[in-house]
Every structure is written in C-alpha cells, then in structure tokens.
C-alpha cells in the first residue's frame, strides 16, 4: 500500500491545552495549576497564557485587528470571569483556613470520665458487633442457603475472555490459532447503494493442521443471521474487542477437511476501510455513489468472516449482485453475468492463492481504456467525467509491467490488471492483486498536468506494480516484517523510474526520501525495521517512514555494496523459492548471500540494520595518512539514553584526487566500534558515504569540515550534487545532536552563493525554514526578522531570477516552486506582485489562462489572502475536474491567515461537505504552518479527536500525519505540558501511539536546540 504523503517533505508537529476541570471554566491559571507530574518543566511567567476555553483561538502577537468582534468579546469576558474565578478561589481558601483554626468553646466539653471497667466492657461489645457485621457483609449470600455456593471455574475464567453472550470465549490471543487453515472461500455479496448496506454469504473450506474442537476466525461490525459447520447449524461465540468469532464442535482429527458457511449483513463502512461507500458530485451537480474496498491491514474481516492474517493464504471465488446502472470488479476476470431477482449477478474466476488483505471488489459507474501487454489485459478505470485523464497511466503501466516481468524473470501471473481511480480514497493506492485502487490524484493526468504531476503518478504506479511480486506473490509472514513489502516496493519504484523515465529526475526525490528517513529514525521513539507487533494499533503504526523509506534506503545500500547483477540474481532466487508463500527478513538476506561473491555475509551484515533501531554516526579523525574511524548510535535524545548498538557498515569514500565518478568509490567494512584506515599522505580531504547511498551520517571533525567547506568554496562541482546535499543534511543533523556548533552550519552555507543544483539548495532551504517556523511560533520577533533577512541575503538573488513561465524540467520546477513560495511567504514585493499579476490574468480569462502547474500553489496562496481571491479560488476548487489542480488550490486555501476562513476550512475538511475527508490531514498540515493557524489547528485536533479517530483508525498514517503536523514546531515548556496532558487523558483512544512519543520527544529536542543556539543565532544572523 502506498500511504499518501501529504507534502512529500518532512512533516511538522504542534500544541496542546491543559484541561483541569470537568466543567468548562473560562480561564485556567496554568501557572498555579500545573500538574505535579510535570514538575521537571516548571513554567516560566512568560509561558503563562490565559485563554478562553470557548474559543482557544487567541494568538499572542496577532493584534486585535486579526480577531473579529465576537472573539474580542470572548477575550474581555474571559479576563473578567477569570479574575472572578481566581477571587472566588482565594476567598474560599481563606474561609477554609479560618474554619480550620477556630478555637472551640471550652464550656462545650464534659469533665466527667467513665470508669475503667465500663470502658473495657464497651470495647468488647463493639468488637463483637463489628466482627458479626463483617462476616455477614463479606460472605456471599449463597453461604447461608441450603444449596450453598457453586465453586467457580477459576482455571477457565481467569484464562479466557467472556463472549458477548456471557460464555467463556475459547481463545485468549490476538493472533489466531494455527490448528485450522483456510483453503478456499466462496463469497457472495449484494451491496445496496441506496440504504448503504450489504448482505453476504461466505463458505470457507478448511483443513486441520492438528486435532481440535474449536474454530476461531475474524469477524467485525456485522450481524450473523445463520452459521452452519459441517452442515449443522451452530451459534458462533463473539469476542468484539479482538474482532473474533469461535465455533465449538466435536473434536476433528488432523488432516480432515471441514466447511463453515456464514450468512450475514452489515452497513457499508463510513470510514476508509472494509467495504465502504464513497460519493462524488458529477458535472451535472448530481451526487453519485459507489462501493469500494480497502482491506490492508486488518479490514477484510469487516466485509466477510475470514482468517484475516497474512499467513493464512487461500483461493477465492467471488460473486457480486448489483443493479444494472453499475459495473462490478474484483481481483480476477469476470466469467459471466446472469439475472437473478431483478438484479445482475457477476461471477469471477477462482483466484490465485493470496492473503485476505489483497481481496478487493468495487461496485460503481466507471469508464475505462485497455491494452494487452505481454498477454495481460491492462485497464485503467475512472468516473465518466474524467475518462480523458487515464491514458498516461495506461502507457506508464504498460512500460513498467514489461520492465518488472524482465527484471524479476517471472511473468505477472494474472490474466488482467485493473487500475481504478476512486473519488474518495484515503491511501495513495492499494496493491490488491489484479485490482489496484488509487486516489484520483495518484492515477489521473490531464493534458496540461506538469512533469511533477507525472512524476507522482508514475511513482505510485511503479510502487503498486512492484507489489504484485513483492507482497502479493511472496508475502511477509506477519506485519512485523511489513518492510519486506513496502520497503522493497519503494526501492523498486525509484530504480525502475530511473531506468525507464530518466526525464522525471527521480533521483532527487529518492535522495530527499532518504534524508527524511534519517530524521525519523534518529529519534528514540523510532523502531527497528523488523519490529515486535501485537495490537491492531501497532500494526497500523508500522505503515510509517521506517518501513517504507528506511526499508528502501537499506536496500539501496546493500545493492550498491554487492557486485553488479548480484542483487537482481538474489531477488530472482528469493521470488522463485518462496512464490505463493510467506517469508521473514532472513529469507531475503539468505537468498542474496547465496549469490554474492563478497567475503562478508549479507545476512549477518543486514541483520544489524533490521533488528535494531536507528543508524550509526561515523566519526572521522585523521592524523596524517592514518584515519581513525569510530561508530556510535546517532540518537537525538533529550533524556540521555545510552545505546550500545553496533552496525556492520559498508563505508564508501572518495578523496580530492578522484571524487565524482562511480569508479572513484572505495569501500571499507566497519564492523567494530572503531578501526583504522590508511590513505595516501597527499590526500587533502575525504568524503564518506558516496552519493549518500549508505544509511548513516558522518562527522569529519573541525579540520575535516574545514577542508570540505574550503573545497566547495573553491569549486562547487568538486563533489556530485548528491554529496553536496548530504553534507548540508549531515551538518544540520549534527548541530541538532550537539556535535557541531551552529556557527559551523552557517559556515557550510556560505558556499551556497555558487550552488545551482536542486538537491543541495532545497535541503538547505528546508532546514532553514523549519528553524524560522519554530522561531515564529515562539514569537521571537527579533530573531524571526533576522532569520528572514539571512534567507533573503543568501537566496534572494536566486529567488528573483526564477521564471514565471512554463518549465519542462522536474528539477527546475521543484526548485522554482520552493524558492517562490518562500519568497512570497516572506512578503517580498517582487514575488507577491508577480503572483497577483498571474492571478488577475487567470481571473480575467475566466480560468482559461494557464498558470504553470508548479506555480499554482504560490499564486493562489498570495491571492487567497484577500476576500475576493479566497472566494474565487474556493469556487474554482469546487468546479475543477483535475485533482492535481484541486489539491494545489486546497493547499492555497488552507494557507489563509484570515481567522474565519481558517475555522471554516478545518470544519469543512472534517464534515466532508465541500472538502472530502481524505484531505483533512493535508488541511491541518497546511493550516499549522502559518502563524495565524497553528494554534487553531492544534485546538481543532484536540476538540475533534473523537470524530477524527472515527474517520481514521488510531495509529493509521492519517492520524500519524495529523499529530506530527500539529505539534512539530512547538519548542516551549507550556506547549510540551499541554501535549502530554491531552494525550495522557486519552488512555486507550491514542495515548500509547508511537507517534505521540515522537511528538513529545520532538518538542523536547526543539526546546534543547533553542536553549543551545538562541545566543548563536542572535550573534551570527
């Protein structure tokens, strides 16, 4: 599955509120009410913000003119009520103190005392009465009946959970037992797109792997009307927390075959998983509906009872009843259609053996184009209004399918390959075997789409087609090895595009992806590539940067380490050996080892990269011709966590005598904590990690950095652009770690005046803009202005030199769009005036004047800051048929600094009315970047957490994105305390997510970085 990356750039994170009272007071005095558990971060007086709970939208520094009159009334009343609240509290405390220390009137006491004998007798009577009361109170009532009490079945009750009918459920694990395995499913479905319900019937043929008298499988959110096991009607037991049902029966023997049939009904899901309903408005203004599936990772059980784990592979025969106005699609080609009960019944061929999460079916009104490619019928489907946007996807898929057939040396095994654009789809795409589903943005390309749009569509298609082998043909055994699917598909998408579509400049995108993976994996909250996974939330959270991007990065590293052709040979052996089966990481490494002629064991080396989290920092200390190399865990940690991890690092390096050609690369295997490397005495400088193909960071020491910076200042082309970008990335990361002072970072950036390549420039700008946004959120206006001035001084000339006309190069478009967005975001007149000129020309032509696609976001972002511009862009967004264009308009709308528009767009994204729910993570991310919107965005997340997690599963990539984008720019103690308080209050509704730990850790690291570097910024900017 391709998770949809909202920005293809590092994601942010934001702020939280301190809820102190069950009722809603108007003011919470955070300075006085700070929880004791957070005493390690005492509040400074400057951090205390009085904020009306009814709005929570006031931002210091915005000024009164930025809030409407109603908000000003809220603020005034809040202050008055707050003073009243605090006065009442202080008066109450004073009253309590007076009560506690008021003397009693001595005359009220009796001076007479009882005798000793009387006291002893009284105590005895009291003890006797109390003992009798305790006996009657604590013993159960059945003790005093004739039948007595029944003895509890403690052995069973303490082990097994309780089913919905009160009986013990005969299984006590989230994972299913392996005693019964499915062989084949016969599935009949009848969706009703008027009532948004469906009926189903499934017959499962199974074999027993051992003697058993119980069958356990998955089922969720459905009503079972009838179940028969071996032709005998049975009543399933259900345990809803684990989404399991169980059937008890007389014991059957190992090797026997058995059959379960279940008739059931359910509502089409209103979220984005299971068998869910989707809708869109066509060009006539009519609302159209459809039903589609998204089963990965744990939602096939919502469409039919099944063994919903990757290792339980089986074949499937699917039939779908539908109305005549729709078509139906499933994984396999359709056998035929018959009429039944006034409906049409489509029957599909028996499938190949596959996991349940790959099953798919769609009922919709769609149009398609098709082509036969090497014996496979390839088709692209879209809603009728967008049928003219499918040709590029068809052409790209045809080329990629032939490439993969040859590279893997195994032909695609199905007769057909359908690719379907779903109007309302959360993920980027889903690799269902033979029926791949996509967001419209990731499949459809209009005639005027930009090369950047084509790069995105081609990347997603390449990713999903690679899954047809890695994931579908050979599948990971359990979700802990998800990277075997996603990491490999990610790597293949970049490799295949680089070979087939060099004009798309995919190498810069892959380089940026590797930088992002390093940033994610540098946190203590990260996890090993192959991690322990138990709960559904943990399964959802595996769909992250580590599984996708780090997985792809380490595959690049091993491929660049092996001899030419060995990687491909090992992959072919792996696929042939395990096709139709399930695997673990070790199986891949063993296959690569078996074909490698290297002296090292691939399995032994790569286990150090998959079984422990993080990556190494390699420190280079050169003394003459001897280079001392040492490694340690690169761990950005605010809590002084220690790590003894050691990696087998295939170190690559070049020097000043030969530094740009691939033949210059030399390799040294660093397996221990430290080692020595001898080099020629005349070498002036060394650059390690050639083209950043390894997953590690290098610190060259003071002299080493000085030599590299000097070399770049003399000749910027002395290193490839990938190496220059890596040096920029590494030095910012080392500054964040505290290994390099920030003034050294600024020294490195001094060479940028001669830089012209996209990768190093965009990396430097991304790092600087992250710092600027943090400073803005702290409202340190002096440093904000100094940082803006620094960026303009160093990059202003490059910004001003950018063209506003059409560009054909992806690299040029990528750089230009970033430079101009920053320039206009800094309110430089040269940029904003040209943006408004382009917008006015677009308005005057009634939208027919073409704005270059890569500039749409910057032009519209400037325009929407006016009321007229906002309204025009919003109307165009609602009417546009081109999804890449709509997306840029939406990002522009969400960049507004107008408070009322911010509130509207957040609510619209949540309600799904004018903006589809699938776009909510993007809306929140964009809103939170702005100074006016970041508190609104964070408060919106808090207030609507329940609704958000109803639409998107806890732990899903969408929820991860929302948390990260809403909190990553915070850097104060108050913001940290509010975040911790909010998520700790959620308990089982999200408090244990790894992403929450990441957010807390990121804020602490931001605080530390600011504490260490604010003085340097003031002195050097």
């Amino acid at each position: 599955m391709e998770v949809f990356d909202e920005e293809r750039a590092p994601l942010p994170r934001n702020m939280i509120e301190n809820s102190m009272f069950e009722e809603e007071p108007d003011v919470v005095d955070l300075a006085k009410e700070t929880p004791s558990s957070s005493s390690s971060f005492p509040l400074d007086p400057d951090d205390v913000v009085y904020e009306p709970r009814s709005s929570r939208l006031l931002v210091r520094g915005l000024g009164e003119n930025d809030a409407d009159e109603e908000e000003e009334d809220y603020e005034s009343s809040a202050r008055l009520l707050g003073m009243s609240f605090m006065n009442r509290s202080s008066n109450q405390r004073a009253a309590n103190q007076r009560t506690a220390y008021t003397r009693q009137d001595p005359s009220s006491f009796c001076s007479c005392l009882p005798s000793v004998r009387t006291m002893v007798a009284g105590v005895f009577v009291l003890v006797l009465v109390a003992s009798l009361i305790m006996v009657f109170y604590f013993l159960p009532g059945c003790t005093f009946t004739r039948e007595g009490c029944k003895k509890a079945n403690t052995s069973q009750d303490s082990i097994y959970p309780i089913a919905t009918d009160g009986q013990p459920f005969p299984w006590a694990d989230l994972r299913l037992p392996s005693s019964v395995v499915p062989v084949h499913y016969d599935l009949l479905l009848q969706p009703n797109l008027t009532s948004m319900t469906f009926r189903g019937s499934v017959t499962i043929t199974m074999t027993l792997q051992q003697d058993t008298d119980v069958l356990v499988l998955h089922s969720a959110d459905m009503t079972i009307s009838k179940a028969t096991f071996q032709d005998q009607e049975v009543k399933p037991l259900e345990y809803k927390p684990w989404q399991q049902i169980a059937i008890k029966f007389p014991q059957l023997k190992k090797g026997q075959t058995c059959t379960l049939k279940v008739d059931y009904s359910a509502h089409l899901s209103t979220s984005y998983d299971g068998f869910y309903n989707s809708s869109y408005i066509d060009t006539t203004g009519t609302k159209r509906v459809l039903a589609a599936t998204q089963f990965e990772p744990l939602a096939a059980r919502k469409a039919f009872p099944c063994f919903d784990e990757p290792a339980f592979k089986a074949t499937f025969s699917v039939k779908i009843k539908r109305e005549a106005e729709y078509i139906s699609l499933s994984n396999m080609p359709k056998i035929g259609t018959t009429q039944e009960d006034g409906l049409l019944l489509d029957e599909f061929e028996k499938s190949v053996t596959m996991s349940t999460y790959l099953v798919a079916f769609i009922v919709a009104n769609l149009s398609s184009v098709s082509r036969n490619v090497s014996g496979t019928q390839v088709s692209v489907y879209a809603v009728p209004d967008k049928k003219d946007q499918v040709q590029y996807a068809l052409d790209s898929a045809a080329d990629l399918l032939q490439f993969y057939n040859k590279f893997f040396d195994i032909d695609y095994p199905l007769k057909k390959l359908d690719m379907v654009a779903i109007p309302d789809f959360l993920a980027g795409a889903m690799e269902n075997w033979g029926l791949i589903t996509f967001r419209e943005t990731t499949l459809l390309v209009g005639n005027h789409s930009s090369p950047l749009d084509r790069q995105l569509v081609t990347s997603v298609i390449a990713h999903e087609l690679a899954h047809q082998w890695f994931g579908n043909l050979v599948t990971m055994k359990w979700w802990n090895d998800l990277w075997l699917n996603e990491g490999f598909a990610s790597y293949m998408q970049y490799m295949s595009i680089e070979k087939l579509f060099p004009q798309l400049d995919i190498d810069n995108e892959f380089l940026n992806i590797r930088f992002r993976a390093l940033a994610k994996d540098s946190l203590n909250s990260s996890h090993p590539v192959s991690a322990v996974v138990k709960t559904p939330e943990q399964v959802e959270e595996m769909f992250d940067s580590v599984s996708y991007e780090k997985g792809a990065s380490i595959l690049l590293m091993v491929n660049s380490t092996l001899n030419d052709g060995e990687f491909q040979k090992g992959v072919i052996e792996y696929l042939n050996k395990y096709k139709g089966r399930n695997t673990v990481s070790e199986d891949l490494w063993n296959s690569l080892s078996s074909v490698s002629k290297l002296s090292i064991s691939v399995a032994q080396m790569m286990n150090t990269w998959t079984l422990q989290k993080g990556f190494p920092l390699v420190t280079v200390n050169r003394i003459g011709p001897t280079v001392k190399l040492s490694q340690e865990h690169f761990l950005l940690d605010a809590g002084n966590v220690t790590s003894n991890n050691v990696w087998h690092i295939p170190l690559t390096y070049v020097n000043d005598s030969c530094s740009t050609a691939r033949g210059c690369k030399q390799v040294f295997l660093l397996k221990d904590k430290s080692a020595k490397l001898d080099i020629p005495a005349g070498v002036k400088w060394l650059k390690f990690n050639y083209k950043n193909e390894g997953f590690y960071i290098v610190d060259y020491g003071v002299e080493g950095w000085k030599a590299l910076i000097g070399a770049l200042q003399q000749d910027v082309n002395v290193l490839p652009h990938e190496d220059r970008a890596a040096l920029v990335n590494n030095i910012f990361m080392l500054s964040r770690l505290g290994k390099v002072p920030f003034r050294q970072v600024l020294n490195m950036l001094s060479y940028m005046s001669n830089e012209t390549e996209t990768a190093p420039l965009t990396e430097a700008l991304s790092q600087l803009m992250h710092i600027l946004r943090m400073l803005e959120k702290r409202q340190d206006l002096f440093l904000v202005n100094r940082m803006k001035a620094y960026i303009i001084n160093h990059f202003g000339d490059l910004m001003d030199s950018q063209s506003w006309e059409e560009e054909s190069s992806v690299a040029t478009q990528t750089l230009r769009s970033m430079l101009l967005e920053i320039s206009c975001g800094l309110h430089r007149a040269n940029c904003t005036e040209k943006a408004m000129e382009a917008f006015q020309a677009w308005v005057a032509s009634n939208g027919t004047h073409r704005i270059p696609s890569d500039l749409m976001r910057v032009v519209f972002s400037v325009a929407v800051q006016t009321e007229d511009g906002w309204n025009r862009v919003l109307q165009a967004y609602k009417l546009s048929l081109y999804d890449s264009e709509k997306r840029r308009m939406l990002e522009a709308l969400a960049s507004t600094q107008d408070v009322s528009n911010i509130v509207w767009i957040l609510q619209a994204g949540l309600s799904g009315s004018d903006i589809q729910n699938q776009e909510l993570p993007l809306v929140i991310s964009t809103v939170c970047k702005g100074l006016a919107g970041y508190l609104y965005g964070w408060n919106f997340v808090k207030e609507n957490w329940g609704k958000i997690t109803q639409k998107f599963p806890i732990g899903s990539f969408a929820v991860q994105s929302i948390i990260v984008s809403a909190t990553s720019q915070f850097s104060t103690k108050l913001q940290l305390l509010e975040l911790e308080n909010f998520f700790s209050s959620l308990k089982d509704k999200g408090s244990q997510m790894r992403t929450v730990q990441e957010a807390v850790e990121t804020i602490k690291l931001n605080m530390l970085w600011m504490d260490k570097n604010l003085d340097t910024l003031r002195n050097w900017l």
Side-chain angles (χ1 to χ4, degrees):
M1 178 170 65
E2 176 83 356
V3 293
F4 196 75
D5 186 344
E6 299 300 343
E7 306 176 71
R8 307 182 79 167
L11 296 169
R13 350 214 192 284
N14 267 341
M15 168 173 173
I16 233 163
E17 150 223 351
N18 201 355
S19 298
M20 296 292 186
F21 303 92
E22 292 297 325
E23 298 180 2
E24 296 205 6
D26 297 283
V27 173
V28 177
D29 189 346
L30 292 175
K32 295 180 181 178
E33 302 293 338
T34 303
S36 59
S37 62
S38 302
S39 59
S40 58
F41 293 94
L43 291 177
D44 292 330
D46 290 342
D47 286 331
V48 180
V49 179
Y50 295 103
E51 194 176 43
R53 185 181 177 101
S54 54
S55 67
R56 298 192 189 86
L57 302 179
L58 301 173
V59 183
R60 287 186 296 167
L62 284 179
E64 295 179 359
N65 294 333
D66 293 322
D68 58 26
E69 294 179 2
E70 182 179 352
E71 289 168 346
E72 292 175 1
D73 291 341
Y74 277 144
E75 184 174 10
S76 300
S77 61
R79 287 171 177 162
L80 290 172
L81 289 170
M83 293 171 63
S84 174
F85 172 78
M86 288 185 284
N87 289 337
R88 290 198 304 271
S89 300
S90 59
N91 291 339
Q92 184 63 46
R93 285 194 295 269
N96 290 341
Q97 290 169 357
R98 287 194 298 270
T99 301
Y101 292 100
T102 302
R103 291 181 180 272
Q104 299 294 325
D105 185 356
S107 63
S108 65
F109 286 95
C110 177
S111 59
C112 302
L113 296 174
S115 66
V116 174
R117 181 180 297 177
T118 303
M119 291 179 66
V120 171
V123 169
F124 176 78
V125 171
L126 286 172
V127 170
L128 181 62
V129 171
S131 300
L132 291 171
I133 291 173
M134 291 175 66
V135 168
F136 281 96
Y137 183 80
F138 286 107
L139 287 178
C142 57
T143 303
F144 305 101
T145 63
R146 179 176 299 176
E147 294 83 2
C149 296
K150 294 181 180 179
K151 192 172 182 179
N153 187 358
T154 55
S155 61
Q156 177 169 291
D157 292 347
S158 62
I159 294 175
Y160 294 111
I162 302 301
T164 53
D165 63 357
Q167 296 185 55
F169 190 80
W171 186 246
D173 197 337
L174 279 165
R175 298 282 298 274
L176 297 181
S178 57
S179 53
V180 181
V181 298
V183 176
H184 181 74
Y185 294 79
D186 284 295
L187 181 60
L188 171 64
L189 293 159
Q190 182 180 335
N192 185 324
L193 297 184
T194 302
S195 64
M196 293 301 166
T197 59
F198 69 97
R199 290 188 295 165
S201 176
V202 62
T203 301
I204 311 173
T205 304
M206 301 157 285
T207 59
L208 273 66
Q209 303 300 299
Q210 59 191 55
D211 297 354
T212 187
D213 60 358
V214 66
L215 168 65
V216 183
L217 64 161
H218 290 112
S219 173
D221 303 335
M222 61 181 64
T223 300
I224 295 176
S225 55
K226 184 179 180 181
T228 57
F229 181 78
Q230 300 292 74
D231 297 326
Q232 298 293 318
E233 187 166 350
V234 293
K235 183 179 179 182
L237 298 170
E238 182 178 18
Y239 186 57
K240 289 186 176 182
W242 292 349
Q243 299 180 330
Q244 293 176 354
I245 59 173
I247 309 292
K248 292 183 177 181
F249 48 82
Q251 190 173 67
L252 297 176
K253 297 295 183 180
K254 177 181 177 180
Q256 282 187 264
T257 298
C258 56
T259 302
L260 172 69
K261 182 180 180 183
V262 180
D263 298 324
Y264 60 96
S265 61
H267 289 277
L268 289 170
S269 171
T270 55
S271 59
Y272 290 96
D273 61 353
F275 194 16
Y276 74 95
N277 72 76
S278 177
S279 64
Y280 65 98
I281 305 297
D282 68 13
T283 52
T284 67
T286 304
K287 182 179 180 180
R288 302 291 184 182
V289 296
L290 60 102
T293 57
Q294 171 59 47
F295 289 163
E296 189 179 32
L298 307 171
R301 65 194 68 177
K302 296 183 177 182
F304 57 99
C306 58
F307 294 79
D308 201 11
E309 294 180 7
F312 288 109
K313 290 191 171 188
T315 54
F316 297 81
S317 295
V318 177
K319 296 179 181 179
I320 298 177
K321 276 188 179 181
R322 59 175 172 86
E323 297 173 70
E325 62 184 290
Y326 302 108
I327 66 168
S328 70
L329 299 170
S330 189
N331 304 84
M332 303 302 291
K334 186 167 63 174
I335 296 174
T337 301
T338 57
Q339 287 193 341
E340 187 174 303
D341 302 327
L343 299 173
L344 298 179
L345 177 65
D346 294 331
E347 182 177 357
F348 299 89
E349 290 181 11
K350 181 179 177 181
S351 76
V352 293
T353 301
M354 61 184 179
S355 303
T356 50
Y357 77 86
L358 294 171
V359 177
F361 27 88
I362 297 171
V363 178
N365 178 18
L366 299 170
S367 299
S368 67
V369 295
S370 302
R371 180 194 301 179
N372 189 285
V373 180
S374 301
T376 299
Q377 186 76 0
V378 180
S379 304
V380 182
Y381 289 81
V383 298
D385 292 337
K386 300 178 181 180
K387 63 183 178 182
D388 61 334
Q389 301 178 42
V390 301
Q391 190 62 45
Y392 179 82
L394 182 63
D395 295 340
S396 301
D399 291 342
L400 286 161
L401 186 62
Q402 292 178 89
F403 173 83
Y404 286 142
N405 281 339
K406 183 177 180 180
F407 184 88
F408 296 130
D409 199 27
I410 298 175
D411 286 343
Y412 174 76
L414 306 188
K415 297 177 184 177
K416 64 103 172 173
L417 174 62
D418 296 337
M419 301 189 297
V420 185
I422 305 294
D424 199 15
F425 190 76
L426 183 60
M430 177 61 209
E431 66 267 20
N432 316 300
W433 216 347
L435 181 59
I436 307 174
T437 47
F438 295 78
R439 271 196 185 201
E440 290 182 326
T441 311
T442 60
L443 187 66
L444 304 182
V445 173
N447 293 330
H448 50 263
S449 296
S450 71
L452 274 173
D453 299 328
R454 288 178 168 82
Q455 185 199 67
L456 171 63
V457 168
T458 310
S459 292
V460 178
I461 292 173
H463 183 100
E464 302 309 323
L465 288 190
H467 269 311
Q468 306 303 300
W469 287 264
F470 259 84
N472 298 8
L473 184 65
V474 179
T475 313
M476 77 272 152
K477 190 168 291 184
W478 179 242
W479 300 107
N480 65 305
D481 275 326
L482 175 66
W483 84 275
L484 279 175
N485 284 17
E486 300 300 349
F488 201 94
S490 297
Y491 178 54
M492 288 305 302
Q493 83 184 59
Y494 298 116
M495 178 201 285
S496 60
I497 292 174
E498 185 178 3
K499 293 184 180 300
L500 291 177
F501 308 97
Q503 73 277 12
L504 294 180
D505 291 325
I506 201 67
D507 58 330
N508 282 339
E509 176 64 16
F510 192 19
L511 183 64
N512 179 55
I513 287 294
R514 302 200 297 275
F515 291 154
R516 184 164 61 184
L518 287 167
K520 171 88 171 183
D521 205 31
S522 66
L523 301 177
N524 193 43
S525 54
S526 184
H527 62 88
V529 171
S530 182
V532 175
V533 176
K534 294 181 180 178
T535 68
E537 293 77 17
Q538 290 172 340
V539 171
E540 293 279 0
E541 285 197 296
M542 287 299 290
F543 291 82
D544 67 357
S545 176
V546 173
S547 295
Y548 285 74
E549 295 161 0
K550 183 179 179 180
S553 300
I554 64 173
L555 286 169
L556 169 65
M557 182 172 64
V558 73
N559 189 11
S560 64
T561 302
L562 295 172
N563 296 321
D564 288 345
E566 289 183 346
F567 181 79
Q568 183 180 2
K569 290 178 183 177
V571 167
I572 292 172
E573 176 172 309
Y574 171 82
L575 291 173
N576 277 299
K577 184 175 182 178
Y578 296 106
K579 59 184 176 184
R581 296 161 59 189
N582 298 85
T583 60
V584 296
S585 298
E586 194 81 7
D587 297 324
L588 175 61
W589 301 141
N590 288 336
S591 293
L592 291 172
S593 292
S594 68
V595 301
S596 172
K597 295 179 181 178
L598 297 180
S599 59
I600 60 174
S601 163
V602 174
Q604 188 177 11
M605 177 178 73
M606 295 311 297
N607 280 337
T608 68
W609 295 92
T610 57
L611 300 181
Q612 55 189 9
K613 70 180 178 183
F615 59 88
L617 164 62
V618 176
T619 300
V620 179
N621 183 18
R622 179 183 174 185
I623 303 175
T626 301
V627 178
K628 182 180 179 181
L629 303 168
S630 61
Q631 65 163 294
E632 61 185 286
H633 188 171
F634 187 103
L635 185 61
L636 292 175
D637 183 72
N640 297 318
V641 174
T642 58
S643 169
N644 295 316
N645 291 355
V646 176
W647 288 262
H648 290 190
I649 312 170
L651 281 176
T652 56
Y653 63 97
V654 294
N655 61 45
D656 59 290
S657 65
C658 183
S659 58
T660 56
R662 182 162 292 276
C664 300
K665 180 180 74 172
Q666 301 181 65
V667 181
F668 178 84
L669 182 63
L670 179 61
K671 296 193 296 183
D672 303 312
K673 277 284 189 181
S674 62
K676 289 183 179 180
L677 171 67
D678 292 326
I679 60 172
V683 170
K684 296 178 181 178
W685 51 260
L686 291 167
K687 164 64 177 71
F688 282 83
N689 199 1
Y690 177 72
K691 289 192 174 184
N692 204 60
E693 291 175 342
F695 198 71
Y696 54 91
I697 280 177
V698 183
D699 183 8
Y700 297 91
V702 175
E703 293 303 318
W705 281 111
K706 183 178 179 181
L708 286 166
I709 293 170
L712 290 174
Q713 289 172 337
Q714 289 181 8
D715 179 9
V716 72
N717 293 312
V718 73
L719 288 170
H721 70 273
E722 297 95 336
D723 278 325
R724 303 198 300 271
L727 287 173
V728 173
N729 171 268
N730 283 196
I731 203 164
F732 270 100
M733 292 283 282
L734 289 165
S735 169
R736 197 160 170 78
L737 186 65
K739 293 283 187 178
V740 170
F742 194 69
R743 63 178 177 271
Q744 186 80 313
V745 176
L746 299 177
N747 288 340
M748 165 64 75
L749 297 183
S750 64
Y751 100 90
M752 280 284 164
S753 58
N754 299 319
E755 184 60 79
T756 58
E757 288 289 338
T758 296
L761 285 166
T762 54
E763 179 61 19
L765 285 166
S766 295
Q767 296 282 358
L768 291 171
M769 288 304 295
H770 178 69
I771 296 172
L772 175 60
R773 291 193 185 107
M774 283 199 296
L775 292 172
E776 285 179 334
K777 304 311 184 287
R778 293 174 69 94
Q779 299 176 46
D780 190 328
L781 298 182
F782 172 78
L783 275 180
V784 166
N785 291 330
R786 295 289 293 273
M787 178 60 80
K788 288 180 178 179
Y790 177 87
I791 293 172
I792 292 171
N793 288 339
H794 284 74
F795 301 95
D797 291 342
L798 193 58
M799 293 173 182
D800 294 339
S801 68
Q802 298 303 303
S803 164
W804 289 74
E805 304 300 324
E806 291 285 354
E807 288 281 357
S808 59
S809 164
V810 171
T812 301
Q813 286 191 342
T814 302
L815 178 60
R816 176 175 73 168
S817 61
M818 174 177 279
L819 285 168
L820 293 181
E821 284 176 20
I822 293 173
S823 183
C824 285
L826 298 178
H827 308 294
R828 301 183 71 233
N830 187 41
C831 183
T832 55
E833 289 171 4
K834 288 184 178 179
M836 284 306 297
E837 287 175 10
F839 179 70
Q840 293 299 340
W842 178 78
V843 171
S845 69
N846 197 26
T848 59
H849 172 76
R850 291 297 309 152
I851 300 172
S853 295
D854 62 301
L855 298 184
M856 277 186 178
R857 186 167 58 191
V858 64
V859 169
F860 292 142
S861 293
V862 173
V864 299
Q865 306 310 321
T866 67
E867 183 178 357
D868 178 66
W870 164 273
N871 291 331
R872 288 183 183 276
V873 174
L874 178 59
Q875 186 63 19
Y877 170 80
K878 293 178 180 179
L879 297 176
S880 176
L881 287 175
Y882 299 100
D883 289 275
S884 59
E885 184 177 272
K886 284 173 70 77
R887 198 166 173 78
R888 292 186 177 101
M889 291 178 180
L890 181 59
E891 288 180 280
L893 290 165
S895 71
T896 178
Q897 299 300 293
D898 182 272
V899 169
S900 59
N901 287 339
I902 290 172
V903 173
W904 180 87
I905 200 167
L906 287 169
Q907 290 295 339
L910 182 64
S911 67
S913 52
D914 293 297
I915 299 171
Q916 291 176 317
N917 289 144
Q918 66 179 16
E919 304 293 4
L920 181 60
L922 174 65
V923 170
I924 293 173
S925 173
T926 308
V927 165
C928 288
K929 287 180 182 177
L931 179 59
Y934 84 105
L935 288 181
Y936 288 83
W938 172 238
N939 286 325
F940 174 83
V941 171
K942 292 184 295 181
E943 295 288 355
N944 295 281
W945 183 256
K947 295 178 181 178
I948 290 171
T949 52
Q950 284 177 359
K951 297 179 183 296
F952 314 121
I954 291 175
S956 65
F957 188 80
V959 170
Q960 293 178 51
S961 172
I962 288 170
I963 294 172
V964 165
S965 60
T967 61
S968 68
Q969 296 171 55
F970 292 151
S971 60
T972 69
K973 288 176 275 190
L974 176 60
Q975 293 163 342
L976 174 64
L977 289 172
E978 290 183 336
L979 183 141
E980 290 178 323
N981 289 339
F982 173 72
F983 281 109
S984 64
S985 71
L986 296 179
K987 298 181 180 178
D988 61 344
K989 295 182 180 180
S991 64
Q992 300 304 312
M993 284 189 296
R994 187 186 296 116
T995 310
V996 174
Q997 301 169 31
E998 178 187 338
V1000 170
E1001 190 177 355
T1002 300
I1003 297 175
K1004 289 180 179 179
L1005 290 168
N1006 289 346
M1007 291 165 57
L1008 285 175
W1009 191 91
M1010 286 293 179
D1011 289 343
K1012 290 179 181 178
N1013 293 290
L1014 282 179
D1015 289 339
T1016 300
L1017 290 171
R1018 291 189 177 98
N1019 294 331
W1020 282 73
L1021 288 180

